[in-house]
Amino acid sequence: MRSLLKKYTRSAAMEATGRLGDNALFLFDYLLRFLRVALLLGIWRAVLGGRGSVSGLTLDGVLTYTLISAACSELLTCQTGLEFAFFDGSIATRFLRPTEIFVEAASEMLGRVVVSAAFFSLPLLLASPLLGVRLAPAGALAGMLFVVSLALAVSVGLALDYLFIALAIALQVAPYTTGRIRIAVGTLLSGALLPLALFPWGIGSVFAWLPFAAQASAPLQIYIGTGNPLKLIALQCGWSLLLWPLAVWAWKVSRERMVSYGG
């Protein structure tokens, strides 16, 4: 176990240092993300300013929701990027490594999370007073439960990533295409971009039961104090327990049918 942990830690470190050494333009991407957050905050102020509570959400709550969502975006989306290995053919060499392929991909994702936290998340959180956003959670208990919920959100997100890749192989669909579809649908249905309570016609209450909501909406609701923490965490646990066995089974069934660049 200690040896495996050391291998996966090295994978994360290699991904992080590779991100830093490949191209300095990655900092430009973080600048664009910072500007995107500032723009979203401005839009919310224009839309909700002076309207009091809307669907149980205040302007301050939505601003905090948006900032925390952006700061934790790498964890709330959970993209291992394994579909690129199918796209460029490097999946073949991954099967030769003395590690479990998906766990290694998750370790590499962790390396990217560390870099993002250092160059984007932490500066964004420190800049919250300049952006006029209240950073503190709804309370001490909400802050602690947010950490628990965030860990469960990562679990659900990784299971979904694993499952989508396995389904792409089984259906003979390009994993890269499937990954883009998952990101687009997940961003809309997870509540990472728009709080589900603000969806029209009450459809947000339907989306709240989907696994995508367990990825982002649940921890963010807990952070700003607008959801029932026990219900949200229970739903996250349920989806995690359901999706992981399904994802593992789907991968075992479909991996022999895998086709990537080069054959």
Side-chain angles (χ1 to χ4, degrees), residues 9-246:
T9 302
R10 286 182 176 177
S11 295
M14 289 174 62
E15 183 69 20
T17 54
R19 179 72 169 166
L20 294 173
D22 285 346
N23 195 334
L25 290 179
F26 78 93
L27 293 173
F28 183 70
D29 175 59
Y30 292 137
L31 176 61
L32 291 179
R33 288 169 62 180
F34 189 91
L35 294 176
R36 175 177 174 271
V37 174
L39 178 61
L40 284 174
L41 295 176
I43 292 174
W44 284 126
R45 287 190 172 97
V47 173
L48 299 178
R51 296 187 59 184
S53 177
V54 178
S55 299
L57 294 171
T58 64
L59 174 59
D60 287 341
V62 173
L63 294 180
T64 302
Y65 185 105
T66 301
L67 186 76
I68 299 301
S69 176
C72 299
S73 60
E74 302 279 350
L75 295 174
L76 298 179
T77 55
C78 277
Q79 302 170 39
T80 62
L82 192 57
E83 65 269 17
F84 290 103
F86 292 90
F87 185 76
D88 62 17
S90 62
I91 189 67
T93 58
R94 285 178 174 269
F95 275 105
L96 299 177
R97 300 175 185 177
T99 53
E100 204 287 323
I101 184 170
F102 190 77
V103 179
E104 184 180 22
S107 300
E108 293 173 355
M109 184 198 78
L110 178 60
R112 295 191 294 272
V113 168
V114 171
V115 175
S116 179
F119 289 94
F120 174 70
S121 301
L122 183 58
L124 178 63
L125 295 176
L126 293 176
S128 60
L130 299 177
L131 296 171
V133 179
R134 179 179 178 272
L135 182 60
L141 180 60
M144 290 185 288
L145 292 178
F146 168 76
V147 175
V148 175
S149 182
L150 185 60
L152 289 170
V154 172
S155 176
V156 173
L158 288 175
L160 281 173
D161 192 70
Y162 204 3
L163 182 59
F164 268 78
I165 292 172
L167 289 176
I169 297 172
L171 299 175
Q172 296 295 299
V173 179
Y176 179 83
T177 303
T178 308
R180 299 303 97 183
I181 294 174
R182 182 215 156 189
I183 293 171
V185 174
T187 300
L188 176 64
L189 302 185
S190 68
L193 181 62
L194 178 68
L196 296 182
L198 298 180
F199 276 59
W201 310 303
I203 58 176
S205 59
V206 177
F207 294 157
W209 292 95
L210 300 179
F212 298 106
Q215 276 189 265
S217 180
L220 294 173
Q221 284 188 71
I222 291 173
Y223 193 90
I224 65 174
T226 59
N228 184 328
L230 296 181
K231 176 183 175 182
L232 293 170
I233 290 177
L235 189 59
Q236 287 181 293
C237 289
W239 277 118
S240 186
L241 292 173
L242 175 65
L243 290 173
W244 270 113
L246 182 61

Side-chain angles (χ1 to χ4, degrees), residues 241-260:
L241 292 173
L242 175 65
L243 290 173
W244 270 113
L246 182 61
V248 171
W249 172 81
W251 172 257
K252 288 182 178 179
V253 170
S254 62
R255 62 180 290 175
E256 298 302 326
R257 303 177 58 189
M258 179 180 57
V259 178
S260 68

